[in-house]
Amino acid sequence: MRKFFIFLYTMICISVNYLGAKGAASAYFPLYLDSIMTISVVALFGLIPGIFCAVSTNMLMVLFMGSSPLYTICHVTTAVIAWLSFMHFKNRNPDKELSINSFLWAGFFAAISNSILGNIITDKVYGALTGLPQADTVAQAFFTAVHNRIFCIYTSGFIQNLTDKMLSTAISFILYKKLEKKFP
């Protein structure tokens, strides 16, 4: 029964991640929303389901939204960093459940890694355009004020990733608190 719930929950999270990314793109909402549930999968069920969620979400985005498969690296990094953050917390606090602090640190470090990796991919492979109009609009807005392409890409990428990951962190923490007692 537990394996079935892990599979079902992960599939729901993949769907929510994909629909979040699709909705953000359709509404030109300046966030990615493609990993909104990934951290909850990692917190509840571990690294492997989290990586499966990350890769599956991005493959749906590649197939149906024209996203680059290279950005899968960012999403997998989110899962790995969340897992490392949670393992660090559990090693230091073996008798405690995960806290909001562990989720916030996971989100913060995922935002930094996603900013660095995503911005390098965007800059070096795609010439500063992600292919996501809602994300590119933010960088272009920065460029109207500061005519430095590198500054604009990295600054807008960091702000978007930090905002995106903090939203993901908050949702994931709420889900974790609601479900962790049912599926220890």
Side-chain angles (χ1 to χ4, degrees):
M1 184 66 173
R2 179 173 164 77
K3 287 182 182 181
F4 174 74
F5 183 77
I6 292 171
F7 177 76
L8 180 65
Y9 184 80
T10 303
M11 297 308 288
I12 290 168
C13 290
I14 291 166
S15 300
V16 171
N17 285 349
Y18 172 74
L19 292 173
K22 185 79 169 161
S26 296
Y28 291 97
F29 188 64
L31 294 178
Y32 307 109
L33 301 182
D34 61 351
S35 63
I36 201 139
M37 303 279 282
T38 304
I39 294 173
S40 74
V41 174
V42 174
L44 290 165
F45 305 118
L47 181 60
I48 301 303
I51 289 175
F52 178 76
C53 180
V55 171
S56 298
T57 297
N58 279 85
M59 288 305 104
L60 287 174
M61 291 172 60
V62 167
L63 292 172
F64 299 111
M65 292 176 61
S67 182
S68 170
L70 291 175
Y71 292 114
T72 305
I73 296 166
C74 297
H75 202 155
V76 168
T77 303
T78 296
V80 170
I81 287 177
W83 181 76
L84 289 170
S85 296
F86 298 149
M87 289 298 100
H88 176 73
F89 179 84
K90 286 180 181 178
N91 285 339
R92 298 185 110 213
N93 306 288
D95 298 331
K96 292 186 178 180
E97 57 190 48
L98 295 174
S99 70
I100 186 65
N101 288 342
S102 59
F103 277 79
L104 289 172
W105 283 113
F108 178 72
F109 289 126
I112 291 172
S113 72
N114 281 213
S115 295
I116 292 168
L117 294 171
N119 291 333
I120 289 171
I121 292 167
T122 299
D123 183 32
K124 300 300 181 192
V125 178
Y126 298 108
L129 296 175
T130 65
L132 299 170
Q134 76 274 20
D136 293 339
T137 301
V138 176
Q140 291 167 351
F142 270 94
F143 194 72
T144 60
V146 179
H147 296 286
N148 182 322
R149 182 176 64 88
I150 299 299
F151 174 80
C152 295
I153 293 167
Y154 284 81
T155 302
S156 66
F158 176 72
I159 291 168
Q160 287 174 294
N161 273 295
L162 184 61
T163 306
D164 189 70
K165 293 303 173 266
M166 289 302 112
L167 180 61
S168 299
T169 297
I171 291 169
S172 291
F173 182 71
I174 292 166
L175 290 169
Y176 169 78
K177 291 305 280 182
K178 291 195 177 291
L179 296 173
E180 54 108 12
K181 296 277 190 227
K182 294 177 183 170
F183 299 96

